[in-house]
Amino acid sequence: MSLKNIALCCFALGAVAVASGQQSPPRQEQALVSRTSADAWWKHAVIYEVYPRSFQDSDGDGKGDIKGIESRLDYLKSLGVDAIWITPMYPSPQVDFGYDIADYEAIDPQYGTMGDFDALLKTAKAHGIRVIMDIVLNHTSDQHPWFKESASSKTNPKRDWYIWRDGKDGSYPNNWQSWFGHSAWTPDKTTGQYYYHYFYTQQPDLNWRNPEVRKAMYGVMKFWLDKGIAGFRMDAVSRLFEDPGLHDDPYLPGYNAFGDRNIQHKYTDDLPETHVVFQELRKLADSYPSHPVLIAEADEPTIADLAKMYGTHGDEVQLPMDFQIADLNELSAPKFRKLFQEVETNPADGWPEYFFSNHDQVRQWERYGDGKHNLEIAKLMAVLEMTPRGTPQMYYGEEIGMRTTEPTRKEDVRDPIGITGWPKEKGRDGERTPMQWTPAAPNAGFTTPTATPWLPVPPNARTINVETELADPNSLLNFYKGLLKLRHTETALMFGDYKTLNPDDADVFSFERKVPQGGQGRNIVVAMNMSAAVHTVKFDDVGAKGGVVMQSNYSASGSKVDLGGLELPPFGAVVVAVE
Ligand code: NOJ
């Protein structure tokens, strides 16, 4: 039996397994998985990003923690989540809220203990939820013992673990800028040299050309994989290497929010050696029979650049996050159609990964809402995230339509870039406010009633919260639940091809997901009106005139539709089973 046929015989079974939250695929699928990654678990998973500081506090210190996450696994399971990506929980001075790591093989006491983490893993497994850790390979905290040693003298054995250079003409070694403002070089009094940091000055970059650094980091990853985690979201990995010749970056017109000249990060991003590291990382992941996934933070300038991350032989990152789609910031049918088509047909034949919100960007409610139809648009965006071919990734609170609540005074800002860049850049606090669970308890149930949450709970938590939305059949939360259920039960959504429909329509983005040959189930047409006007669309290419609504933001499930003339209200979105 060919591999393709093995895949076909598993369609129905695979759908049931994922829907029921089983950790391991059924036997036939297991056989497939062991021979090819064609049906790897991460292709059928819905990933949910947990920002641990803001998700659920269990001990009343106003900051979320591991026990808090564990206590919400029932909720995540009922939502239909298959894997959680937890942003860094390692010991850290918390300058960048965990992205400045001081010890890679421990848990920061503010989040709990290693015992709590092990318990979380165990309970998550019992819920059929995998746990993905965030790993910061590009840099450490300046409080990490490696950096302290490295900074102690020019001859320290760890000196070369970081990027140290002499200044030039009494100033910085070159014009490279930190992503977080100003020079990427900080002078060091002890040795008279400068160290390089792509991000905050407290986040010195590791020297990935040093084999000892590589060995140490792979050891760290093994430590967590051995515990049974399901993979890593790899932070800032396109920045692992810098030009050894220290060429100046070219300037671009204008100035950024920090008052620096705009710059193209030409000599510090996407250097060819990065791919060698990706291959090594992939080998490490593939040495585990559980098929851990590598997800790359990949804010690449084009989808062609993103495609390179899969590797020319599919031997690098399985899921580079698609920032082109996430950051379109405009509800445009032609633009979304083009981007989805590009990633669909990417030269590496890599599996797409979609998201619209995360802990670094204004929430999708504001970025895509028009101020008038925001709920319809939020539901449309949910359809757009959950129905194409690829792995969707959600951000906590997205499912209830959490808003971005920015600080109104500089003195309230917690994220350092909001202080450096105020008032143009207010930082990322706005999208990191505590999860809104219930209207009944103070602090929306995020922490104990008398605690002070690390960021204020937005007043809108009285109406926008899990409990209220669970009780409302038309809520965004129930809309997401319905879509996640479809993703786990419809063969066409799990395994089907993707085909653009009506490619010239200026306002309606539509596509077909077709049950593969030999599979069972219904073909699906997805249509999204990305305009504020009513539109009628005809689907001549789908081989049938009629259909039934599976899910829609304007019509009841089960209603019949005419695919020969489907009328979509402003921002109407519909998932139709073709009949
Ligand atoms: C990307 C992370 O998502 C962001 O939160 C962090 O500040 C930078 N990388 C630096 O680690």
Side-chain angles (χ1 to χ4, degrees):
M1 195 187 260
S2 74
L3 284 179
K4 197 167 178 198
N5 288 338
I6 297 173
L8 291 181
C9 80
C10 304
F11 284 143
L13 225 44
V16 173
V18 179
S20 67
Q22 272 175 238
Q23 270 306 81
S24 332
R27 274 185 60 209
Q28 290 97 322
E29 200 184 340
Q30 242 163 16
L32 177 78
V33 164
S34 59
R35 286 179 224 181
T36 163
S37 64
D39 262 314
W41 67 267
W42 41 266
K43 290 191 173 178
H44 306 303
V46 174
I47 301 174
Y48 184 100
E49 178 188 352
V50 172
Y51 197 70
R53 213 178 160 89
S54 300
F55 196 59
Q56 178 65 62
D57 178 23
S58 73
D59 61 5
D61 68 355
K63 296 178 208 124
D65 48 42
I66 295 175
K67 283 192 170 146
I69 300 172
E70 190 179 357
S71 72
R72 294 298 184 180
L73 288 170
D74 285 345
Y75 165 73
L76 294 171
K77 185 181 163 73
S78 71
L79 177 58
V81 163
D82 304 289
I84 51 176
W85 148 35
I86 312 176
T87 62
M89 296 194 291
Y90 316 91
S92 159
Q94 304 290 336
V95 171
D96 194 12
F97 299 111
Y99 284 95
D100 46 325
I101 300 174
D103 180 352
Y104 284 82
E105 293 183 3
I107 293 288
D108 193 301
Q110 82 171 43
Y111 293 119
T113 63
M114 193 58 91
D116 295 340
F117 179 80
D118 292 338
L120 171 70
L121 261 188
K122 202 168 156 211
T123 316
K125 189 168 184 187
H127 282 73
I129 295 177
R130 290 176 160 92
V131 176
I132 297 169
M133 294 291 272
D134 207 318
I135 185 89
V136 184
L137 301 171
N138 180 65
H139 49 268
T140 67
S141 159
D142 62 351
Q143 297 307 303
H144 195 293
W146 297 341
F147 185 73
K148 286 188 177 169
E149 277 189 56
S150 182
S152 64
S153 85
K154 280 185 174 176
T155 53
N156 185 278
K158 289 215 166 44
R159 184 65 171 179
D160 185 50
W161 280 43
Y162 293 83
I163 317 284
W164 293 96
R165 293 289 182 277
D166 291 327
K168 202 170 102 188
D169 306 329
S171 185
Y172 303 112
N174 66 10
N175 75 346
W176 293 351
Q177 276 174 24
S178 157
W179 194 252
F180 291 157
H182 313 321
S183 175
W185 298 98
T186 290
D188 167 58
K189 281 201 192 94
T190 314
T191 59
Q193 285 194 303
Y194 290 77
Y195 67 88
Y196 171 72
H197 49 90
Y198 196 100
F199 297 98
Y200 292 125
T201 184
Q202 298 88 343
Q203 293 169 299
D205 271 46
L206 284 162
N207 175 15
W208 273 82
R209 291 198 176 90
N210 183 322
E212 287 175 27
V213 166
R214 269 146 111 137
K215 201 168 154 217
M217 285 314 243
Y218 299 158
V220 162
M221 292 171 84
K222 267 181 81 52
F223 173 86
W224 292 101
L225 288 168
D226 288 347
K227 278 188 172 287
I229 67 156
F232 294 100
R233 176 269 187 187
M234 305 187 297
D235 187 70
V237 277
S238 47
R239 281 100 203 219
L240 292 185
F241 291 90
E242 304 75 31
D243 168 32
L246 297 197
H247 289 93
D248 276 345
D249 274 334
Y251 285 110
L252 300 170
Y255 289 81
N256 63 21
F258 308 106
D260 306 317
R261 284 182 73 180
N262 284 329
I263 215 162
Q264 182 198 349
H265 292 267
K266 179 172 172 184
Y267 292 106
T268 56
D269 286 14
D270 290 313
L271 267 70
E273 291 106 310
T274 319
H275 294 282
V276 179
V277 171
F278 289 166
Q279 284 158 16
E280 290 172 359
L281 292 168
R282 181 62 181 275
K283 271 201 192 110
L284 174 67
D286 283 353
S287 68
Y288 285 78
S290 56
H291 296 273
V293 68
L294 299 175
I295 305 174
E297 188 195 19
D299 45 343
E300 301 305 289
T302 65
I303 293 213
D305 292 299
L306 176 110
K308 290 184 192 152
M309 289 199 161
Y310 294 111
T312 30
H313 304 290
D315 54 354
E316 298 185 23
V317 173
Q318 291 108 321
L319 294 178
M321 296 175 175
D322 193 329
F323 275 78
Q324 293 291 312
I325 287 177
D327 286 346
L328 182 59
N329 297 341
E330 184 192 344
L331 213 48
S332 156
K335 289 184 183 169
F336 270 125
R337 184 184 298 124
K338 180 171 177 282
L339 288 171
F340 274 89
Q341 190 60 25
E342 276 178 15
V343 73
E344 252 304 306
T345 54
N346 72 76
D349 198 21
W351 187 258
E353 211 255 27
Y354 307 115
F355 70 103
F356 291 109
S357 289
N358 70 16
H359 61 283
D360 291 329
Q361 58 199 163
V362 167
R363 283 179 178 272
Q364 66 208 61
W365 183 270
E366 288 83 12
R367 279 186 300 118
Y368 290 96
D370 68 348
K372 203 169 155 207
H373 304 88
N374 281 32
L375 181 57
E376 289 82 357
I377 294 172
K379 289 180 176 174
L380 181 152
M381 297 305 288
V383 170
L384 185 57
E385 189 174 48
M386 297 300 160
T387 59
R389 202 180 66 99
T391 299
Q393 180 191 290
M394 304 170 63
Y395 181 48
Y396 83 93
E398 158 187 338
E399 71 276 22
I400 55 169
M402 267 177 68
R403 318 299 201 250
T404 310
T405 309
E406 285 181 330
T408 50
R409 307 178 315 169
K410 189 176 174 183
E411 54 268 39
D412 297 330
V413 177
R414 306 295 304 273
D415 182 16
I417 53 168
I419 300 167
T420 327
W422 190 269
K424 277 194 188 157
E425 167 62 71
K426 295 198 168 103
R428 298 163 290 181
D429 296 351
E431 54 266 28
R432 298 173 176 180
T433 56
M435 179 67 178
Q436 301 172 188
W437 295 103
T438 170
N443 292 323
F446 161 68
T447 179
T448 51
T450 52
T452 307
W454 80 281
L455 284 174
V457 174
N460 63 32
R462 278 190 289 277
T463 49
I464 302 160
N465 60 73
V466 170
E467 196 178 312
T468 306
E469 293 196 30
L470 277 178
D472 172 3
N474 293 319
S475 68
L476 184 59
L477 177 55
N478 280 318
F479 195 81
Y480 266 91
K481 282 181 86 167
L483 280 172
L484 265 62
K485 194 166 172 208
L486 285 182
R487 265 196 73 87
H488 289 128
T489 49
E490 289 298 321
T491 308
L493 291 182
M494 290 186 72
F495 302 97
D497 290 345
Y498 166 97
K499 187 180 149 209
T500 301
L501 300 172
N502 297 341
D504 299 321
D505 195 307
D507 294 304
V508 178
F509 177 29
S510 51
F511 52 82
E512 185 182 21
R513 302 291 316 278
K514 216 171 177 166
V515 174
Q517 227 185 357
Q520 285 176 359
R522 300 166 290 182
N523 291 343
I524 289 176
V525 165
V526 178
M528 291 156 286
N529 179 3
M530 299 195 166
S531 82
V534 177
H535 280 281
T536 301
V537 275
K538 281 168 62 173
F539 296 102
D540 295 331
D541 292 348
V542 295
K545 282 256 175 288
V548 59
V549 173
M550 300 177 110
Q551 184 135 354
S552 164
N553 63 358
Y554 65 89
S555 169
S557 300
S559 323
K560 296 273 181 201
V561 293
D562 175 8
L563 290 171
L566 175 66
E567 188 180 288
L568 292 158
F571 305 106
V574 63
V575 184
V576 177
V578 178
E579 291 198 320

